[in-house]
Amino acid sequence: NAGVTQTPKFRILKIGQSMTLQCAQDMNHNYMYWYRQDPGMGLKLIYYSVGAGITDKGEVPNGYNVSRSTTEDFPLRLELAAPSQTSVYFCASSLLRTGASYGYTFGSGTRLTVV
Amino acid sequence: EDKVVQSPLSLVVHEGDTVTLNCSYEVTNFRSLLWYKQEKKAPTFLFMLTSSGIEKKSGRLSSILDKKELSSILNITATQTGDSAIYLCAVEAEGRRALTFGSGTRLQVQP
C-alpha cells in the first residue's frame, strides 16, 4: 500500500517557468489537499478537492491551479513561478472530510526553490 | 478567521527530560484537535482529541484537550533523541474546508 505519492521530491525553477507537482493516492480517498509549508511556519491550504471533478480554493490559491479528473490523482500546477512560491509542498488525502477520525495521510513533500 | 497558536516555537532538552507542548485555538464550531509529528518528511498522525478532559496515550506520549481553555497539551516523558521533530497541532471545525494548522514546535533532544 503506497499511500500518497508525490513527485518530484526536489525541484529548482527559474522565475517565470511553470511546472506541475504530481500527487497520487491508492487508498480510494475522496478528499485530497495541497498545502505549502514555509520555513518556521505551519501548513497553509492552497487547494482541496472533495471528489473527482470537484475542486475549490484554500487560503493561498494565487499562482496555482489544480484539477481532479480521477479519484487517485490531484496535480498542482504552478504558472509563472515567483520567488514567493519557494516552499515545501505537501499533498494529503483523507477518508472523511477534514480528516475526522483518522487525520490526513501525507505525501513525502516536494521542496521547490524558485530563483 | 480560525487561529491555532503553538508554544514554545522551539525547545531544546536532554534525553530523559519531560516536555510539555502547548496548542491554543480560536475557531468557530470546534470539532476536533489533532497532533502530528514531522521529522524530515511528511507529518505523521499522533492523536485526535474531541472530548475535553480525556487523555489519549501512546507509549511515552500523551495528550489532553481542555475545551474550556480552548487548548491542548502534548506531553512526552523520558525523551529520546528520536523524539526530535516538529510537532504540529491542527484543528478541525464544522463547515471548514480542511484542517487549520499551527506553526509547530521544533523539539530537539540532545544526548
Side-chain angles (χ1 to χ4, degrees), chain B residues 29-79:
Chain B
N29 298 323
F30 172 87
R31 187 165 175 168
S32 66
L33 185 145
L34 297 90
W35 284 97
Y36 287 84
K37 178 181 181 182
Q38 183 179 19
E39 296 175 85
K40 291 187 177 176
K41 293 186 176 178
T44 54
F45 176 75
L46 292 175
F47 299 112
M48 190 187 79
L49 304 155
T50 55
S51 300
S52 201
I54 297 176
E55 186 181 47
K56 292 273 182 96
K57 288 198 77 170
S58 177
R60 296 176 294 101
L61 278 67
S62 64
S63 184
I64 195 161
L65 177 67
D66 186 338
K67 280 187 175 179
K68 192 174 175 183
E69 296 296 325
L70 306 182
S71 65
S72 173
I73 59 171
L74 176 67
N75 278 320
I76 308 174
T77 59
T79 52

Side-chain angles (χ1 to χ4, degrees), chain A residues 9 33 35 37 40-45 48 56-59 90 97-109 111, chain B residues 1 9 31-32 34 36 38 40-45 48 86 88 92-104 106:
Chain A
K9 295 193 186 310
Y33 314 86
Y35 283 87
Q37 185 178 32
M41 305 292 286
L43 281 72
K44 297 288 186 186
L45 182 67
Y48 70 104
D56 205 351
K57 297 177 181 178
E59 298 173 75
F90 287 103
R97 185 180 62 84
T98 67
S101 301
Y102 302 103
Y104 292 165
T105 300
F106 282 91
S108 57
R111 185 176 294 276
Chain B
E1 185 182 324
L9 292 180
R31 187 165 175 168
S32 66
L34 297 90
Y36 287 84
Q38 183 179 19
K40 291 187 177 176
K41 293 186 176 178
T44 54
F45 176 75
M48 190 187 79
I86 296 172
L88 294 167
E92 180 193 7
E94 285 288 345
R96 291 296 187 269
R97 301 161 293 192
L99 297 176
T100 300
F101 284 83
S103 57
R106 182 180 293 274

